[in-house]
Amino acid sequence: MTLPIVKRFLISLDRNKWIGLFSFMFVVGVSGIVAVQTPPAPDPVYRANGTLTYSPQPVAFTATGESLQAQGREITPDIIKADWVIENVAQQLSVEQDVIKKIIAEKQIDIRIPKEDEPPEYRMQYVNPNKQAAETVLASFMQAIVDYSRERNTFRLKEKIEELEKRLPDVLVEVKKAEQALDNFVRKEGSTLLAAQDGTLVAAITGAQEQQRQLKITLQGIETQIKSLEKRLGLTADEAYTSAALSADPIIANLRAQIYQTEAQIELLEKDLRPEHPQMVELRRQQQANEQLLRERAAEVVGGQGEFAPLPPSQIRQDSALDPARQQLANNLVALQTQRETLIQQLAATRQTELELRETYQTLPNKQMEQARLQQEVQLQQSLYGKIQAALLDAQAAEAETVGSLTVTQKPVVKAEEPEPPMSPIILLGAGVGIGVLVAGGVIFLLSTLDNKLYTPEELRESLSSRDVLLLGELPHVFSLVPVGEETGIIESDSPYLPLYERFRSNLRRLGAKPPKVVLITSVSHEEGKTVTAYNLAIASAAAGKRTLLIEANLRDRSSANALKLAADPDAAVEPLRYYASRNDCIRLVPEIQNLYLVPSPGLQRQAAAIIESSELRKLIEDARGRFDFVVLDTPSLSSCNDALLLEPLTDGIVLVTRPGYTIGAMLTETADQFTEAELPLLGAVINDLDKFVPLPSPPEEKETHFEETDELAEEETPELPPKSAKESSRQTTYR
């Protein structure tokens, strides 16, 4: 059995053979050109060697000086490329800087950095055909590096001083801002914080509470007295006020006496005189006049300048008949009522004062924390300002301690070197062939590694198994014996491929105690055969005697209904919601296939998401669940849109369609992981477009025995339909 990695390499070799051949020919050609060229006679060369080491450092009295000395010992190979070094060497040798840059670029000069366990010696060497030039150039480089170490330390120190002087004013501004903020806060909230610290605020709250208790006790005593007086008088406080005022008025007393006198005369005369007698009429007129005066006077006494509800004369006479003792009690009752109202107002004011004090007390922790934060901010800014000032003084004092970090311990020593003989042309050509083979194989292997597509069924099975995705079936490449312009891959009800799709359908029915009734078919990316799988699964279900409905829920592509000899409704693209709302019009019976119904897609829609989430489509799917035995939804790929995820809550689960050579491994594993994290019902996956053995179509008289065979048809050693011949290569199966 061939390993999957070998299969990938062979597939990549077949796809990229011209790239590999070009790589091989290029390497062999370059090696051939190098081999046929006659190497020139090598000239004698001279190698100059010199050594640099750390110079003894003076005693440093500042922290900045010690830091600069430590930084100066950090030498890298790029020191010879520094602009200052190149310029200094060019001046010493009286040449252009481009000449020095060329020497460095061609790596004629080199500096070796010692390792941690080696002595601190920096060895430099320079190769040149001229002995004198080798010594002079290396000496110039060594002296320039020594001078550069001193200049670099001085530059770092000046740069640090300038940076500190530039930053110091900004820090001073921040210090003043922090101090100003703290001062403003203390001025605003200082009295409150001081009252909390010395206990004045707590004492005020306690005093307000004690005052409320005293007022409540006094108020209870007054209310007790009011109730006692009301019980004795049989009057409320308002009624007592009215009675006392009426009884104390002499005019009302005089009018009452006149009314009593008139009533007495009427009572004596009415025994002898008729009511129409002039004297009786006059007495009643006097009585009415006195009663009117009594009402007006009562209104003046009781109502004052305000409004007064007029009382009948009998009520006025009754209320104004208090004796002096009861008048005194009534006056006391009125006074107590006034005192009670006064105490209630005082109690309310005291409670409001307590609430205000309590609110102030509750905000104290926040104010104290704010004060502490402002104080800490001031301390931090002052500390930073002090550190910057100290660092500035330290850096200014370190100017006197700045020296170079390197010194020359060994001047350039020049030695002659024998040149190496040139390599044989045959060896160069053989090495080129070997390298060409390796390069071509490496390029092809690299291309196979960079290609993230899964080309073999084994890779697809391994990828699905690694994410615990159930493999529901392996579906064949559908080949039609009848020559057509474009093969759709959709089978017929008597197709020899039907048993493989029937196995896929039966695997779905065996999932769980309750088989899924509404299944959503989708794929990770395009051209993986999800539409073909959805159509063929629906045809297999209908062939099994199940009342099946196929819903084309892909509103971002054209409909495939013409493959089943159905024409899409032209008005559906204009009014898709009305189309889905009319179930009798959108659900179409497929001709020539029993038990199969189809809801063709209205075609490409600009507002596809709005239609997918509409109540019309939701009600259509819910109604189909009750009317049909099996419902299949064909949706767009997950890489293009989220339509499948929007329809998932209306279904019983999702089936992913994969296809060798088209499915991208990273996208497949990422999709499976996302389904697991979101707890989406992923029923499983199928591998599509495989080369499967299928039985040849049976003669008409043997159709009955043909359909009696079961799953063994897919495993018998029957002739295989050739998947790709010269005539078939002109027809391409369209998978969507």
Side-chain angles (χ1 to χ4, degrees):
M1 182 178 179
T2 308
L3 296 176
I5 189 171
V6 177
K7 289 184 178 180
R8 288 186 65 88
F9 180 80
L10 295 177
I11 293 173
S12 179
L13 177 62
D14 181 63
R15 295 168 62 90
N16 306 296
K17 52 182 176 293
W18 294 111
I19 298 178
L21 180 61
F22 174 78
S23 302
F24 173 78
M25 296 299 296
F26 177 77
V27 174
V28 173
V30 171
S31 64
I33 293 174
V34 174
V36 299
Q37 288 181 349
T38 303
D43 297 329
V45 295
Y46 296 91
R47 186 180 301 274
N49 296 297
T51 305
L52 298 174
T53 188
Y54 296 131
S55 60
Q57 300 293 335
V59 179
F61 297 96
T62 61
T64 304
E66 294 180 358
S67 176
L68 288 176
Q69 292 178 12
Q71 294 178 6
R73 295 176 180 270
E74 298 175 357
I75 306 299
T76 63
D78 293 335
I79 190 172
I80 60 177
K81 300 179 182 179
D83 295 338
W84 195 93
V85 173
I86 294 174
E87 182 180 357
N88 190 276
V89 172
Q91 290 179 357
Q92 293 183 39
L93 299 177
S94 300
V95 295
E96 298 292 333
Q97 295 185 18
D98 293 339
V99 177
I100 306 302
K101 292 180 180 180
K102 183 178 180 182
I103 292 174
I104 297 173
E106 295 178 353
K107 298 184 178 179
Q108 298 179 17
I109 189 167
D110 184 28
I111 180 171
R112 181 181 178 276
I113 307 299
K115 299 180 180 179
E116 295 182 358
D117 55 346
E118 294 180 350
E121 294 181 351
Y122 296 87
R123 298 178 182 179
M124 298 186 64
Q125 62 179 2
Y126 174 63
V127 179
N128 193 282
N130 188 295
K131 181 179 180 181
Q132 183 64 29
E135 182 179 2
T136 304
V137 172
L138 182 60
S140 300
F141 266 100
M142 294 176 66
Q143 186 60 41
I145 291 174
V146 171
D147 296 340
Y148 175 69
S149 67
R150 181 180 63 257
E151 291 295 329
R152 184 175 61 172
N153 292 342
T154 303
F155 175 76
R156 287 177 177 175
L157 184 60
K158 292 181 179 179
E159 187 179 33
K160 183 175 182 180
I161 292 174
E162 292 177 357
E163 185 65 26
L164 291 174
E165 290 177 345
K166 180 180 178 182
R167 189 179 179 188
L168 193 61
D170 296 336
V171 177
L172 181 60
V173 171
E174 295 297 329
V175 172
K176 292 182 178 180
K177 287 183 179 179
E179 292 175 347
Q180 184 65 30
L182 178 60
D183 182 63
N184 294 336
F185 181 81
V186 171
R187 290 182 180 182
K188 182 179 179 181
E189 305 293 345
S191 59
T192 303
L193 295 173
L194 183 62
Q197 292 176 358
D198 60 11
T200 304
L201 185 59
V202 177
I205 296 174
T206 305
Q209 293 175 346
E210 181 62 27
Q211 187 177 2
Q212 290 179 35
R213 284 194 292 269
Q214 295 297 331
L215 290 173
K216 289 179 181 178
I217 294 172
T218 304
L219 186 60
Q220 290 177 356
I222 292 175
E223 289 178 348
T224 303
Q225 295 180 28
I226 290 174
K227 291 180 181 179
S228 177
L229 291 176
E230 287 178 346
K231 185 177 180 181
R232 292 182 182 181
L233 291 174
L235 301 173
T236 62
D238 295 336
E239 293 173 348
Y241 167 75
T242 302
S243 298
L246 294 176
S247 300
D249 187 66
I251 298 175
I252 292 177
N254 186 22
L255 291 173
R256 283 175 53 236
Q258 292 180 12
I259 291 172
Y260 283 140
Q261 183 179 1
T262 302
E263 288 178 349
Q265 292 179 4
I266 292 173
E267 186 177 356
L268 291 175
L269 293 177
E270 67 182 359
K271 296 178 180 180
D272 299 328
L273 300 178
R274 295 179 179 178
E276 296 83 3
H277 192 274
Q279 190 174 357
M280 294 292 291
V281 173
E282 179 63 22
L283 289 174
R284 288 192 181 93
R285 186 185 61 76
Q286 291 179 3
Q287 182 181 7
Q288 292 177 356
N290 290 332
E291 289 177 351
Q292 179 64 29
L293 292 174
L294 182 64
R295 282 194 297 269
E296 294 175 357
R297 182 56 183 173
E300 294 176 356
V301 172
V302 179
Q305 299 298 327
E307 301 220 354
F308 174 70
L311 298 175
S314 59
Q315 182 66 34
I316 297 174
R317 289 164 58 186
Q318 181 181 353
D319 293 341
S320 61
L322 293 179
D323 56 85
R326 291 174 63 83
Q327 287 184 16
Q328 183 63 33
L329 292 176
N331 292 332
N332 293 339
L333 179 59
V334 173
L336 290 173
Q337 178 67 16
T338 303
Q339 187 176 359
R340 176 178 174 273
E341 294 175 354
T342 303
L343 291 175
I344 290 175
Q345 293 295 330
Q346 292 179 357
L347 181 61
T350 307
R351 287 176 178 172
Q352 182 64 29
T353 302
E354 181 191 1
L355 290 176
E356 294 175 356
L357 293 174
R358 283 184 176 276
E359 290 179 358
T360 303
Y361 185 76
Q362 290 175 356
T363 58
L364 280 177
N366 294 335
K367 294 179 179 179
Q368 292 172 349
M369 291 174 61
E370 180 67 14
Q371 184 182 22
R373 187 189 65 79
L374 292 175
Q375 291 175 348
Q376 185 179 9
E377 182 69 19
V378 171
Q379 293 174 358
L380 291 175
Q381 294 295 339
Q382 290 177 347
S383 175
L384 178 61
Y385 181 75
K387 289 180 180 179
I388 294 177
Q389 278 189 324
L392 180 59
L393 294 176
D394 186 79
Q396 291 173 349
E399 289 181 332
E401 303 174 359
T402 305
V403 294
S405 301
L406 297 175
T407 185
V408 178
T409 57
Q410 179 184 340
K411 294 183 178 181
V413 177
V414 182
K415 294 182 180 180
E417 292 186 356
E418 293 294 334
E420 296 181 357
M423 188 176 295
S424 172
I426 298 177
I427 297 176
L428 286 174
L429 187 60
V433 173
I435 295 174
V437 172
L438 294 176
V439 169
V443 169
I444 293 174
F445 183 78
L446 179 62
L447 292 175
S448 68
T449 305
L450 296 177
D451 192 354
N452 200 20
K453 292 182 180 179
L454 304 177
Y455 286 98
T456 63
E458 291 81 2
E459 292 177 334
L460 284 171
R461 295 191 197 101
E462 182 180 356
S463 179
L464 294 174
S465 177
S466 64
R467 292 300 184 272
D468 296 331
V469 179
L470 181 63
L471 181 59
L472 297 173
E474 297 184 0
L475 306 178
H477 173 82
V478 178
F479 171 75
S480 178
L481 294 176
V482 180
V484 293
E486 179 182 355
E487 295 184 5
T488 62
I490 298 176
I491 64 176
E492 299 177 354
S493 58
D494 57 349
S495 172
Y497 298 97
L498 184 63
L500 296 177
Y501 283 95
E502 172 59 30
R503 179 180 296 180
F504 171 32
R505 186 191 70 85
S506 62
N507 288 337
L508 277 174
R509 290 186 57 81
R510 292 184 300 180
L511 294 177
K514 185 179 180 181
K517 191 173 183 180
V518 181
V519 177
L520 187 145
I521 305 295
T522 186
S523 61
V524 177
S525 58
H526 298 289
E527 298 184 358
E528 294 185 81
K530 57 177 182 54
T531 299
V532 172
T533 302
Y535 267 80
N536 293 344
L537 175 61
I539 294 172
S541 176
K546 303 296 181 182
R547 184 179 172 89
T548 306
L549 175 64
L550 174 61
I551 301 177
E552 288 189 329
N554 188 356
L555 305 182
R556 304 177 189 272
D557 203 350
R558 57 185 176 84
S559 174
S560 301
N562 55 355
L564 298 181
K565 300 180 180 180
L566 283 177
D569 187 358
D571 297 333
V574 181
E575 297 182 354
L577 295 181
R578 179 177 295 180
Y579 169 71
Y580 284 121
S582 178
R583 296 170 179 72
N584 295 329
D585 294 337
C586 66
I587 299 178
R588 312 278 294 279
L589 176 63
V590 177
E592 300 182 1
I593 300 179
Q594 295 182 357
N595 301 322
L596 182 59
Y597 296 81
L598 177 66
V599 177
S601 168
L604 181 63
Q605 297 292 320
R606 298 183 61 183
Q607 302 294 334
I611 300 173
I612 289 295
E613 296 182 279
S614 65
S615 60
E616 287 80 2
L617 184 58
R618 177 179 58 80
K619 291 180 180 179
L620 172 64
I621 298 175
E622 292 175 352
D623 181 66
R625 181 186 290 273
R627 293 174 56 185
F628 293 90
D629 299 327
F630 191 61
V631 180
V632 181
L633 272 73
D634 176 29
T635 60
S637 61
L638 296 173
S639 62
S640 60
C641 59
N642 284 338
D643 292 356
L645 300 181
L646 295 176
L647 289 172
E648 177 273 327
L650 304 177
T651 66
D652 297 331
I654 301 174
V655 175
L656 283 178
V657 178
T658 63
R659 184 183 181 188
Y662 290 86
T663 299
I664 300 176
M667 295 179 63
L668 178 61
T669 55
E670 181 181 359
T671 301
D673 292 339
Q674 290 177 354
F675 278 23
T676 302
E677 293 175 0
E679 298 181 357
L680 295 177
L682 179 59
L683 301 177
V686 296
I687 301 177
N688 193 28
D689 196 28
L690 299 180
D691 292 334
K692 284 282 186 177
F693 285 95
V694 296
L696 290 172
S698 301
E701 61 275 13
E702 298 179 0
K703 280 190 176 181
E704 295 182 358
T705 59
H706 170 75
F707 285 105
E708 290 176 356
E709 298 177 357
T710 57
D711 293 342
E712 289 78 4
L713 291 174
E715 301 176 0
E716 293 179 355
E717 295 183 358
T718 55
E720 181 185 8
L721 291 178
K724 296 178 182 178
S725 63
K727 184 182 294 184
E728 296 159 13
S729 61
S730 62
R731 301 197 304 271
Q732 180 67 29
T733 302
T734 303
Y735 276 77
R736 292 193 296 143

